[in-house]
Amino acid sequence: IQKKKRIIAKVRCRNIKTECPKVACRDAIILPGACCKTCPSTSLMLTPQDEPQEPLEELTGRDFAVLLNGRTSQTPMTTSRVATGRLSLRRGTLHFSFLLEEGAPAPESIQFLSDSGSILEILEAQPTPYEATNSRICGTWTRVPKEYKALLREEKVWVALYPPEESGEDVISGLVARYVGVDTEIFSALLVPSPTANQTLSGGGTAIISAEKKTDSLHISLVFNGVFAPRESHNATIAVELSPSKALPAVTDTIILTKIASDLNRMEYRTTLGESSLRLLTRGHVSMKVMSVAAPELALEGMITPRATCNVFSTVLSVPESNSIHDNSLSLVSVPPPPYGSGWALLTVSNDGDFDYQIYVQGAAVTSLKLETQYRRGHRIVDDLTSNFVNNWANGSYSRPTFRDLDALLRGKIEVVVSTDDNTQTLRGMLSPVAVTEALRSRQPVLLSSPEVPLAATVWMAVDAVCVTHYDVQVAGPPPNGAIEPFWSLYLRENDTTWDPRLEMTKLDLEMEVEGRELFAHSTRLTRLSLSRLAHEASYLDLHLIPANNNTSPLPPLTGQIKGVTVPPKCLFDSDVYAESVGHPDDEFCAPGICLRHEGDTEAKSHKCKDADNRVFDDGSSWQSPANPCSMCMCTKGKIKCLDVICPDVNCDGATTPPGECCPICPGQAEVINSDQTCRLNDQRHKVGTLWYPFLVPKGFDKCVTCTCKLSSSARPEVSCTRTSCPVLHCDEDLKETLPDSCCPRCRLPPPPPNAPTLPPGVNNHPTLTEEEYRQNVLDRGGCVYRSSIVVENGKEWHPRINSFGELNCVTCRCKDGNITCDPEQCPTLNCKTLVESDRECCPHCADSANTNEFYRSRKRTSSRNKKNKGKKQPNF
């Protein structure tokens, strides 16, 4: 439709056949009136009218934009802040990025709202380690519900940026819409008002800029407000000025805006900068100014930069799939034989247009490394990176990109191509935008590969501030057995040989069955032990390819070591924060983080030991110290303890210690010891003729056992050990004692009776007596004989002991003038309904407190009666 030689609307057509979904059969057909192929098994059941359709966002555009300031907010705000955003809906996930004006605080939260102001979702911006996103706020809304996707397509979703409470800033919001040119946008501009503009509701704007490749002309779509004079309502003259740096002439265009809105105005036009200015546009050296001719003091201006997205792109480098087109001749590429190489590439775009790249390749002898654009009609080399490839890495910057290069990158048309020396294998990967999730906190992904498998995978993994582990997975390469998509599972495996092998290692199932090439925004909670191994690079990822049928032999897993993952200190297993939170151990063999378990931790902890040379020993094992041959070491509950060798006494004169030995030997034994024959005991070897105390864990040397290595009748070395024999004791068990340095117990004298005379100082009150003298003295003092062999002092009371039951605490025996009486505990009669029996009491008592006092009074009276009845005839026990 043309009016006054100005295009105000146009018809745009798009071929959706190229966007048809892949089918899982080889004999797919196209039904009459349909655009996409279907399998015969399903096509017989469907008519062209009810054929399954692509999701609506795939057919009607997936890119959105938003302007946020005081005028666009659901509730108008007097703030002068301005922001713009770009949103993209991909496979049920909404990727968003916001460009803030200089000096604006980063939002604390990002809220998606409905038309009525109801909150649909609250998200946080995801921090990344890349400078390319420092001026942008990025994030991902995963698994968007169908109802919300419908609202988004109907342009009924608002987004609000909530600043930190301490900043004192106001909330700004705007309506998410599908603006003209946003799906082909290459450059963006955030337009802010002049600091001198004095408005209650200040203005703001954003520019959506794309370029025509044939004519180098620019298509500019403007969304703005707040530039009009107070009395302007219709047919306002808008001036747009593009000003390159380096004293190049500015380009000014004027457009008549027939209708003016206070909240949002849209305007599109075309212009041309010229070849020199286009290069500056790509470099971020062109500014834009938008103003109404009637109110130049309310002008909006800002710098033009690459598209307001997060500008982070990555790919997996692998062997290309079969039947893939990679050159002008349209020849089919077949999968080469193993071994296969693999790698990954990461590229970021700075605000001044530089392509900063980082590329890693393994398992291939690289002869060339290039960035190429891939189109249907041919390809073009963007840059040759071969000279920067050293020791499997290429790091550098492509500082001369054109706007065509930037456009190709944004459209997913730039490919990393790796060629080998014999040209039998080429690794390729198309750079695509990275989903900015929590996993992008790491600086680089983990590469999973196998030289026997043509596929490769990358896993982005990171741990957030609350100790949750996030991961994204991307798989590339030809699936096995001609499958349409790879089918795989993912495992986290610990293989700790350097950090602390004493602790038990685990294998965790991250994903059991996944079909496809991408998986992102997944998370799991690992134990503190697993997080510590993650931080110390002692963990691995294994991706197992699941065979299409049971008859297919399984392929080796794609494996990679996890490196470069930063774990917050409070999440580590052996951190000070962890030790303080669980307290300190009481066991002398424990250390913080070894024997203790924090609430919520489920990791099993072994007690293996690791010495200074990183040698690992099982709990309870012993060995000769490598630093001192005359010292023995043992592992007890994770702690190593070493003791010097204790030598047995030798009963001979002239004993000497031969070279290399720790203990002396008698003369004449040197020839036997110098032989090569040895005995083995507890993983220790001893020469024939040596005498030693065995070293036992955890007490150390047992001096009550003497071992020797001697030759048997068949001339074979054998160990013979004898324990020190001890005499039989006839005293009460309570009177037996064993001194620390003694191997045998002894009887100690009982304490004297209360009326025994006290001897003067310096006189031994416990003379040493023979056993018979001791027994006779006890009996002469009125003692008793208990169980035919034990003598008991006169007046002593005790509780009898029965081997099968132990000590009977409710029975008391007494020795009085040679007679033994045993009385059970006398229990009072209680008048109550409920009796309570306790293991600590011999008699039951009433449950209520009133009768309990009566119970103790009765018990006291019973105890008095028992004392009066002493000496009377009692039943024998």
Side-chain angles (χ1 to χ4, degrees):
I1 304 174
Q2 293 193 6
K3 183 178 181 181
K4 294 182 181 180
K5 298 183 179 180
R6 195 162 46 84
I7 298 177
I8 62 174
K10 65 178 180 179
V11 175
R12 297 181 66 244
C13 297
R14 178 179 173 190
N15 181 13
I16 64 171
K17 187 174 181 179
T18 59
E19 301 174 359
C20 288
K22 293 182 178 180
V23 292
C25 60
R26 298 182 181 275
D27 53 348
I29 60 174
I30 299 180
L31 293 174
C35 297
C36 300
K37 291 183 178 181
T38 58
C39 293
S41 58
T42 59
S43 62
L44 296 176
M45 304 168 55
L46 300 173
T47 62
Q49 288 76 21
D50 58 8
E51 183 182 358
Q53 298 294 317
E54 280 279 328
L56 188 56
E57 70 265 18
E58 301 292 336
L59 302 179
T60 59
R62 302 172 296 178
D63 296 314
F64 305 83
V66 61
L67 173 66
L68 308 95
N69 68 346
R71 291 175 178 269
T72 60
S73 297
Q74 283 185 320
T75 302
M77 298 286 181
T78 57
T79 177
S80 62
R81 294 298 188 190
V82 184
T84 186
R86 301 295 182 267
L87 302 94
S88 179
L89 189 60
R90 300 287 190 277
R91 298 183 181 180
T93 299
L94 185 66
H95 306 272
F96 58 84
S97 60
F98 296 94
L99 184 60
L100 307 181
E101 64 174 300
E102 185 177 356
E108 191 173 62
S109 66
I110 300 165
Q111 296 190 7
F112 290 89
L113 314 169
S114 64
D115 271 340
S116 61
S118 301
I119 297 177
L120 306 179
E121 185 63 277
I122 301 177
L123 300 171
E124 294 180 355
Q126 307 299 339
T128 67
Y130 305 107
E131 295 183 0
T133 64
N134 283 350
S135 60
R136 294 165 169 83
I137 301 300
C138 306
T140 301
W141 181 4
T142 60
R143 293 175 284 277
V144 181
K146 292 183 179 180
E147 296 82 359
Y148 297 169
K149 288 191 287 184
L151 292 177
L152 189 65
R153 293 190 294 266
E154 296 169 7
E155 298 186 358
K156 293 182 180 180
V157 173
W158 295 68
V159 63
L161 305 182
Y162 277 72
E165 186 175 351
E166 62 273 9
S167 67
E169 299 276 354
D170 290 326
V171 179
I172 56 175
S173 61
L175 180 64
V176 179
R178 193 179 292 112
Y179 291 107
V180 175
V182 70
D183 54 343
T184 59
E185 181 184 17
I186 304 176
F187 305 101
S188 304
L190 177 63
L191 306 175
V192 299
S194 171
T196 59
N198 186 13
Q199 282 183 301
T200 303
L201 289 176
S202 60
T206 183
I208 302 169
I209 306 171
S210 55
E212 176 63 39
K213 302 179 181 64
K214 295 181 179 179
T215 62
D216 290 345
S217 63
L218 301 179
H219 178 275
I220 300 178
S221 177
L222 290 173
V223 182
F224 63 99
N225 55 31
V227 300
F228 305 102
R231 285 179 272 183
E232 282 188 289
S233 60
H234 295 84
N235 298 323
T237 303
I238 304 298
V240 183
E241 182 180 281
L242 301 180
S243 301
S245 60
K246 297 185 179 180
L248 292 174
V251 176
T252 303
D253 295 275
T254 57
I255 304 98
I256 303 298
L257 191 62
T258 57
K259 187 177 179 180
I260 297 174
S262 62
D263 57 347
L264 205 62
N265 297 275
R266 306 185 185 187
M267 186 176 69
E268 297 88 37
Y269 78 101
R270 291 180 180 271
T271 188
T272 302
L273 272 180
E275 185 177 352
S276 300
S277 297
L278 272 177
R279 285 196 297 268
L280 294 176
L281 181 67
T282 308
R283 308 295 300 152
H285 296 322
V286 176
S287 63
M288 171 179 283
K289 186 175 183 179
V290 177
M291 63 180 177
S292 171
V293 175
E297 71 279 2
L298 301 179
L300 305 173
E301 54 186 333
M303 296 300 297
I304 299 177
T305 63
R307 185 178 181 179
T309 59
C310 289
N311 293 340
V312 181
F313 305 83
S314 73
T315 187
V316 184
L317 301 178
S318 65
V319 175
E321 296 186 48
S322 301
N323 302 333
S324 297
I325 300 174
H326 292 302
D327 53 33
N328 294 333
S329 62
L330 302 181
S331 61
L332 299 182
V333 180
S334 60
V335 178
Y340 300 103
S342 59
W344 55 264
L346 177 67
L347 189 145
T348 59
V349 182
S350 62
N351 285 340
D352 57 5
D354 286 346
F355 289 5
D356 299 323
Y357 57 84
Q358 185 180 18
I359 302 174
Y360 175 74
V361 181
Q362 68 175 16
V366 177
T367 56
S368 70
L369 176 61
K370 299 176 182 179
L371 296 179
E372 299 181 3
T373 56
Q374 295 289 342
Y375 295 100
R376 289 182 176 273
R377 297 181 179 179
H379 71 281
R380 179 177 61 87
I381 296 177
V382 176
D383 194 20
D384 192 336
L385 315 179
T386 308
S387 60
N388 290 336
F389 185 80
V390 180
N391 295 331
N392 301 106
W393 289 91
N395 295 279
S397 179
Y398 174 43
S399 58
R400 301 182 307 277
T402 65
F403 79 91
R404 291 184 178 86
D405 296 334
L406 182 59
D407 177 69
L409 180 65
L410 295 174
R411 304 287 159 261
K413 298 296 184 181
I414 289 189
E415 189 175 29
V416 180
V417 181
V418 180
S419 300
T420 58
D421 52 359
D422 54 3
N423 293 322
T424 58
Q425 188 178 127
T426 300
L427 305 180
R428 295 175 178 268
M430 195 73 72
L431 290 166
S432 59
V434 176
V436 182
T437 63
E438 288 278 1
L440 207 64
R441 293 173 180 263
S442 298
R443 296 199 63 89
Q444 63 187 40
V446 181
L447 177 63
L448 309 184
S449 63
S450 170
E452 303 176 36
V453 182
L455 282 85
T458 55
V459 180
W460 292 86
M461 180 170 283
V463 181
D464 63 17
V466 293
C467 307
V468 176
T469 304
H470 304 266
Y471 56 93
D472 300 343
V473 185
Q474 186 176 4
V475 182
N481 306 317
I484 302 298
E485 296 287 348
F487 197 36
W488 47 273
S489 57
L490 185 65
Y491 300 91
L492 176 68
R493 171 175 51 88
E494 296 175 357
N495 185 18
D496 188 359
T497 59
T498 57
W499 176 61
D500 200 336
R502 298 173 297 178
L503 308 181
E504 185 172 318
M505 302 179 199
T506 60
K507 183 177 180 180
L508 178 66
D509 300 336
L510 295 180
E511 302 292 336
M512 291 303 296
E513 293 182 354
V514 179
E515 184 177 11
R517 298 180 178 273
E518 291 182 352
L519 181 148
F520 54 87
H522 280 225
S523 61
T524 185
R525 282 192 174 273
L526 301 178
T527 61
R528 294 179 183 271
L529 176 57
S530 295
L531 288 174
S532 297
R533 287 213 168 100
L534 205 68
H536 289 84
E537 300 182 355
S539 300
Y540 295 77
L541 287 172
D542 296 333
L543 188 145
H544 292 262
L545 295 167
I546 302 175
N549 52 65
N550 296 330
N551 297 328
T552 305
S553 58
L555 295 174
L558 307 180
T559 303
Q561 184 179 5
I562 303 174
K563 296 182 178 181
V565 175
T566 302
V567 179
K570 68 178 182 180
C571 307
L572 297 176
F573 183 66
D574 54 354
S575 67
D576 295 336
V577 177
Y578 171 75
E580 292 173 2
S581 64
V582 298
H584 296 283
D586 297 328
D587 195 328
E588 63 172 342
F589 295 111
C590 292
I594 299 299
C595 297
L596 295 178
R597 288 193 181 189
H598 189 270
E599 183 179 357
D601 281 351
T602 58
E603 55 264 52
K605 301 171 182 62
S606 66
H607 296 295
K608 294 183 179 181
C609 298
K610 182 180 69 171
D611 64 6
D613 298 327
N614 288 328
R615 295 188 306 170
V616 180
F617 301 93
D618 292 329
D619 184 31
S621 62
S622 59
W623 64 95
Q624 189 180 51
S625 171
N628 181 9
C630 293
S631 177
M632 292 298 297
C633 300
M634 57 183 168
C635 173
T636 306
K637 294 184 179 180
K639 186 175 180 180
I640 295 178
K641 186 176 181 180
C642 296
L643 300 173
D644 291 336
V645 172
I646 299 177
C647 297
D649 295 332
V650 289
N651 297 322
C652 63
D653 296 330
T656 58
T657 303
E661 297 295 325
C662 299
C663 296
I665 60 174
C666 292
Q669 291 183 332
E671 295 181 359
V672 181
I673 290 178
N674 290 333
S675 66
D676 295 333
Q677 292 179 307
T678 59
C679 296
R680 185 183 181 90
L681 179 65
N682 292 340
D683 294 329
Q684 304 164 24
R685 293 194 174 276
H686 302 271
K687 292 184 177 181
V688 174
T690 55
L691 194 69
W692 71 91
Y693 292 133
F695 188 76
L696 305 175
V697 180
K699 294 183 178 180
F701 292 99
D702 187 357
K703 295 191 296 182
C704 297
V705 177
T706 304
C707 297
T708 183
C709 179
K710 59 183 180 179
L711 296 177
S712 63
S713 57
S714 60
R716 292 184 177 180
E718 63 179 12
V719 176
S720 176
C721 296
T722 57
R723 178 173 289 277
T724 303
S725 59
C726 297
V728 178
L729 301 179
H730 299 286
C731 58
D732 191 354
E733 291 293 332
D734 296 340
L735 298 178
K736 292 181 181 180
E737 63 178 2
T738 303
L739 298 179
D741 295 335
S742 175
C743 296
C744 299
R746 69 173 187 175
C747 290
R748 56 182 174 82
L749 292 177
N755 55 358
T758 303
L759 297 179
V763 179
N764 187 3
N765 199 23
H766 299 285
T768 303
L769 302 175
T770 64
E771 184 177 355
E772 189 59 35
E773 292 175 338
Y774 166 77
R775 290 171 59 87
Q776 191 59 45
N777 287 345
V778 172
L779 295 177
D780 291 344
R781 293 194 293 269
C784 306
V785 178
Y786 178 59
R787 290 183 178 175
S788 72
S789 61
I790 300 174
V791 293
V792 183
E793 287 284 353
N794 187 17
K796 181 179 179 181
E797 294 185 359
W798 70 94
H799 297 299
R801 177 185 296 274
I802 299 178
N803 291 336
S804 59
F805 294 98
E807 191 175 77
L808 303 180
N809 294 324
C810 296
V811 177
T812 303
C813 295
R814 302 171 185 86
C815 173
K816 180 65 175 178
D817 299 331
N819 296 320
I820 296 177
T821 60
C822 294
D823 302 320
E825 182 77 19
Q826 296 297 320
C827 297
T829 302
L830 301 177
N831 297 322
C832 55
K833 294 182 178 180
T834 305
L835 295 178
V836 178
E837 295 183 357
S838 173
D839 294 339
R840 299 182 179 180
E841 299 288 346
C842 296
C843 298
H845 61 273
C846 294
D848 58 303
S849 59
N851 289 324
T852 300
N853 295 331
E854 176 63 25
F855 159 72
Y856 285 112
R857 288 194 294 270
S858 300
R859 184 177 180 186
K860 186 175 181 181
R861 291 194 296 268
T862 303
S863 179
S864 300
R865 289 196 301 269
N866 290 341
K867 291 181 180 179
K868 293 180 181 180
N869 293 331
K870 279 187 178 181
K872 296 182 179 180
K873 186 174 181 180
Q874 301 290 339
N876 293 327
F877 289 86

